[in-house]
């Protein structure tokens, strides 16, 4: 599995709170490194915010 996919998987698991045991979560983050995790988390948060803003805009009918 590529490094980017590992980072995305670790970030998504942590966002929904299903990281498993602490040792497993630590192992996933150690495989990827901290900078790719921060970058992927930042992009995921931006996409989440953009999606929520788009949904609110659509629901308001504007």
């Amino acid at each position: 599995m590529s490094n980017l996919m590992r980072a995305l998987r670790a970030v998504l698991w942590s966002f929904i709170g299903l990281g498993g045991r602490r040792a497993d979560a630590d192992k996933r983050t150690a495989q990827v490194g901290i900078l790719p995790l921060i970058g992927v988390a930042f992009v995921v948060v931006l996409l989440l915010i953009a999606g929520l803003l788009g949904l609110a805009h659509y629901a308001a009918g504007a």
Side-chain angles (χ1 to χ4, degrees):
M1 190 181 307
S2 73
N3 207 19
L4 180 63
M5 290 304 293
R6 282 188 182 118
L8 182 61
R9 183 177 177 200
V11 167
L12 291 178
W13 276 114
S14 67
F15 272 12
I16 60 173
L18 296 176
R21 294 181 308 205
R22 179 68 180 204
D24 293 338
D26 289 342
K27 187 173 114 180
R28 276 194 303 271
T29 57
Q31 287 178 344
V32 176
I34 193 71
L35 288 179
L37 284 175
I38 291 172
V40 169
F42 185 71
V43 169
V44 169
V45 167
L46 287 178
L47 289 173
L48 178 66
I49 291 171
L52 290 174
L53 287 173
L55 181 64
H57 186 71
Y58 175 74

